C-alpha cells in the first residue's frame, strides 16, 4: 500500500473513532442503578430504576430485559414503566421486569438493552417460589365498585388475590402485579362488613398473611395521598389528591378539617363531587394536618386518616402543565426538561384545553393573555372536561408567533406559559 494511502486510511480511522466516541458520549446507553428486590423467583416482578431504560416507548423489539449466566441468555418480560417527562437522557426512569418461567435458581446477571445499547449488569438471586408479603391496603374502608390498592413485596404476575367477605364466602381471581403494588375492584354484590384479603397461589396452598378492610354502602371519607397536593398560600385553593374519588359519587358534599396546633377550621369543598378546597385565610404558613369526611342523605362518614400539608408563605401563580387541542394533535407537555417543546401549531378557531394547577376558586378569576409582536388580547377560560381550562381561539386570529401568559386576577400574580403558539 502506498504511504500516502496508508496515512489517509489511518487518519480516517482516527477521525471515525473520535466521532464514534463523541456520539457515544452524547448518547450514553441505559443505566440500572438498582433493582428492587434484588432477589426473586419465577414470575416475580422486579422494579428497576435508572436512566435511559426506554420507558418512553416500551417497544418490545427495542427494549429488552435479558437474564444472563455464562453463555445462557433468557429474555424477561418488560412491564410497567415511569419516566420524567421532557428529559429522556438524564431523567430518572423505572422499568418493571418479570422473571421468566424458564429460569433456574442461582445467581443471574440482568441487563437492559435499548436498541443496540446495553446496560452494565446487576446481580439477581433467583430462588424457589415463596408467597408474597402483603404490607398495606388502601383505602381501608371502601364502597362497592371501588378499586382497592394492595402494597407489598415479592409479588408475582400470576398471583391470586383471595377475598373472604363478611359472611365467610371466598372469592379468588388472578391479578397481575406491577412493581410493589396490585389491586382489585370490590364486587357490586359483596356483603357489607369486615372482609380480609391475601395474595398467593391456591395450587401451592401458600398465601401471604391476610389484611382486613371494611365494605360499606354508607358515606366514606376520601383517603388522601401524602405529599401529593399542590402547596399554596392561605386563602388560595388547591385540589385534594385521593386514592379514589369513588366516595364522592352521590355524596351531598365533602369537608376538609385543617388543624394547626389548637386551631381547627372545617372547610367544605367548592361543590359536591369536587376536590377543590380553599386553604383557610385564618391559618399561618407552615405545617397543618388535613383529614376529610363526606356527607350523604343526612349521614356523615368517619374522618379519614390525617396527612401533613404545608401552607407556603407567598401566594403561588397559576401553572399550566399541558395543552391539549382536542383531536387535532398530541398534547404539549410543559414540565421542565431539555426535551420540552418550544412551539406548537394551531389554526384560528381551535379549542385549547389547559391543564395544571390553578389556585383560584372559580375560572372567572383567571385570564389568559396572548401577545404577538404587534397585537395582544385576553380570554377568560370556561370549564373544560376533567377540570381543564377551555379556551376557544378567535376565528380571525392572525398568523405568526404568540406568547401566552396566565394570571390570577384577584392577586395579580401572572406566569408565562413556557411555549410559543404558532398560528398557521
Amino acid at each position: 500500500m502506498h504511504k500516502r494511502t496508508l496515512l489517509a486510511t489511518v487518519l480516517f480511522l482516527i477521525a471515525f473513532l473520535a466521532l464514534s466516541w463523541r456520539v457515544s458520549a452524547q448518547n450514553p446507553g441505559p443505566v440500572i442503578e438498582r433493582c428492587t428486590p434484588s432477589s426473586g423467583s419465577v414470575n416475580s416482578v422486579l422494579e428497576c430504576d435508572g436512566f435511559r431504560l426506554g420507558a418512553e416507548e416500551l417497544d418490545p423489539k427495542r427494549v429488552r430485559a435479558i437474564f444472563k449466566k455464562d453463555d445462557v441468555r433468557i429474555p424477561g418480560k418488560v412491564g410497567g414503566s415511569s419516566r420524567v417527562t421532557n428529559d429522556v437522557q438524564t431523567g430518572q426512569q423505572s422499568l418493571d421486569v418479570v422473571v421468566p418461567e424458564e429460569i433456574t435458581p442461582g445467581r443471574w446477571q440482568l441487563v437492559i438493552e435499548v436498541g443496540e445499547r446495553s446496560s452494565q449488569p446487576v446481580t439477581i438471586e433467583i430462588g424457589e417460589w415463596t408467597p408474597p408479603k402483603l404490607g398495606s391496603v388502601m383505602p381501608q374502608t371502601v364502597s362497592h365498585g371501588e378499586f382497592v390498592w394492595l402494597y407489598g413485596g415479592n409479588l408475582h404476575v400470576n398471583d391470586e388475590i383471595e377475598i373472604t367477605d363478611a359472611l365467610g364466602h371466598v372469592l379468588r381471581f388472578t391479578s397481575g402485579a406491577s412493581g410493589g403494588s396490585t389491586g382489585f375492584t370490590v364486587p357490586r354484590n359483596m356483603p357489607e362488613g369486615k372482609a380480609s384479603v391475601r395474595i398467593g397461589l391456591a395450587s401451592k396452598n401458600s398465601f401471604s398473611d391476610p389484611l382486613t378492610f371494611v365494605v360499606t354502602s354508607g358515606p366514606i371519607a376520601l383517603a388522601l395521598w401524602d405529599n401529593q397536593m399542590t402547596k399554596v398560600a392561605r386563602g388560595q385553593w388547591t385540589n385534594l389528591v385521593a386514592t379514589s374519588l369513588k366516595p364522592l359519587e352521590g355524596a351531598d358534599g365533602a369537608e376538609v378539617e385543617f388543624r394547626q396546633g389548637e386551631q381547627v377550621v372545617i372547610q367544605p369543598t367548592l361543590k359536591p363531587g369536587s376536590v377543590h378546597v380553599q386553604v383557610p385565610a385564618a391559618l399561618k404558613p407552615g405545617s397543618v394536618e388535613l383529614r376529610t369526611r363526606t356527607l350523604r342523605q343526612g349521614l356523615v362518614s368517619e374522618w379519614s386518616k390525617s396527612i401533613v400539608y404545608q401552607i407556603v408563605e407567598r401566594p403561588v401563580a397559576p401553572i399550566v402543565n399541558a395543552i391539549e387541542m382536542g383531536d387535532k394533535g398530541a398534547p404539549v407537555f410543559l414540565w421542565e426538561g431539555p426535551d420540552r417543546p418550544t412551539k406548537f401549531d394551531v389554526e384560528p378557531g381551535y379549542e385549547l384545553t389547559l391543564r395544571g394547577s390553578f389556585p383560584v376558586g372559580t375560572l372567572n378569576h383567571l385570564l389568559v393573555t396572548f401577545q404577538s409582536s404587534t397585537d395582544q388580547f385576553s380570554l377568560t377560560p370556561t370549564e373544560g372536561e376533567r377540570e381543564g381550562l377551555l379556551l376557544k381561539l378567535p376565528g380571525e386570529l392572525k398568523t405568526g408567533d404568540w406568547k401566552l401568559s396566565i394570571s390570577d386576577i384577584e392577586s395579580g400574580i401572572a406566569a408565562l406559559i413556557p411555549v410559543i403558539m404558532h398560528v398557521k
Side-chain angles (χ1 to χ4, degrees), residues 7 34 43 49 60 64 126 175 182 186-187 273 289 295 352-353 385 390:
L7 179 60
R34 72 189 68 84
N43 287 321
D49 298 312
R64 301 171 296 275
I126 303 298
S175 179
T182 183
V186 178
E289 290 185 37
L295 304 86
L352 306 181
T353 299
E385 61 176 10
L390 184 62

Side-chain angles (χ1 to χ4, degrees), residues 236 315-318 360 365 407-414:
Q236 291 192 297
V316 300
V360 296
H365 287 93
S407 58
D408 176 350
I409 298 174
E410 189 170 319
S411 68
I413 298 177

Side-chain angles (χ1 to χ4, degrees), residues 22-45:
R22 286 198 298 270
V23 170
S24 177
Q26 292 171 2
N27 300 284
V31 173
I32 305 176
E33 288 192 315
R34 72 189 68 84
C35 284
T36 308
S38 59
S39 62
S41 58
V42 168
N43 287 321
S44 288
V45 182

